[in-house]
Amino acid sequence: MAAVFYIFAISLLFSSISGELQNDFPTVVDAKMLGSRKEKLTHFRVYWHDIISGKNPTSIRVVNPPSNVAASSGFGMVSMIDNPLTTGPELSSKMVGRAQGFYALASQEEIGLLMTMNFVFAEGKYNGSTITVMGRNAVFNKVREMPVIGGSGLFRFARGYVQARTHTFDLKSGDATVEYNVYVLHY
Ligand SMILES: *[C@@H]1O[C@H](CO)[C@@H](O)[C@H](O)[C@H]1NC(C)=O
């Protein structure tokens, strides 16, 4: 009797496994769900404001490297950001979104950042759409290129790159304004 029950249980197990394998997960979807839209290349320029000083910083250090392994490159430091993105270099110019994420000092040899951030747009038809930038930023180089690895909303299926150029850097306060030229393919 026990043996019969055992065989029954085993066969139940196998049927449920094969049932799962037969399941249509994932399924192929007709690309027409994108409508008649063609992939297009969009370029825009924004200024990214890293505000460290003052009463309302938009960039705050959340990790300090342990002092016993301190490197002159600051290796190990992590900052969270919610930085304004504006159309002009002045902070008072039109704000079109924010850069939310973090950057970390990821090089033991030089000042080399790992940037991981979402550009969250709040302007016109782009309101609520995002692109995700993740890459290496050697901040003392004139031009730094980083990949756009994805997007949402109007930027679904986004891929592309950004080029960052430091516009101003205040050595005293640590505040920086960086020009970002964004080139993104999307539907
Ligand atoms: C963007 O969308 C939010 C929420 O849907 C809304 O409150 C806001 O007014 C919109 N901003 C613009 C500039 O359209």
Side-chain angles (χ1 to χ4, degrees):
M1 188 61 201
V4 169
F5 182 75
Y6 183 66
I7 288 163
F8 176 71
I10 292 282
S11 66
L12 206 66
L13 182 68
F14 272 96
S15 68
S16 73
I17 289 170
S18 61
E20 234 156 66
L21 290 178
Q22 281 159 13
N23 234 339
D24 271 346
F25 169 81
T27 53
V28 175
V29 175
D30 192 335
K32 282 188 189 124
M33 67 165 267
L34 292 166
S36 57
R37 282 174 289 172
K38 281 208 170 72
E39 196 172 30
K40 50 187 169 279
L41 179 64
T42 297
H43 165 246
F44 52 90
R45 185 176 62 185
V46 288
Y47 289 85
W48 177 98
H49 302 270
D50 200 47
I51 306 163
I52 290 169
S53 66
K55 265 193 291 192
N56 297 305
T58 62
S59 175
I60 57 171
R61 187 175 299 190
V62 292
V63 175
N64 272 314
S67 54
N68 60 327
V69 292
S72 59
S73 66
F75 178 62
M77 184 274 275
V78 181
S79 283
M80 289 304 301
I81 60 168
D82 186 2
N83 286 350
L85 297 172
T86 60
T87 54
E90 304 306 325
L91 187 54
S92 55
S93 66
K94 189 179 168 72
M95 193 168 93
V96 291
R98 307 192 71 90
Q100 299 176 337
F102 64 87
Y103 56 76
L105 281 162
S107 171
Q108 291 186 296
E109 304 288 314
E110 55 172 340
I111 309 293
L113 296 175
L114 162 70
M115 310 285 296
T116 305
M117 58 186 172
N118 297 312
F119 283 8
V120 187
F121 297 98
E123 175 57 27
K125 65 174 181 175
Y126 295 103
N127 192 7
S129 294
T130 67
I131 60 168
T132 301
V133 175
M134 184 177 179
R136 178 171 186 269
N137 184 2
V139 292
F140 290 119
N141 290 353
K142 193 156 186 281
V143 184
R144 293 89 69 185
E145 187 169 312
M146 290 166 268
V148 171
I149 62 168
S152 72
L154 279 190
F155 292 117
R156 278 180 192 165
F157 294 110
R159 59 204 166 96
Y161 65 96
V162 300
Q163 286 184 327
R165 291 175 178 81
T166 302
H167 181 74
T168 53
F169 176 54
D170 186 331
L171 271 173
K172 222 168 134 194
S173 66
D175 293 350
T177 301
V178 180
E179 177 189 329
Y180 271 80
N181 275 282
V182 181
Y183 296 86
V184 63
L185 282 167
H186 62 102
Y187 286 93

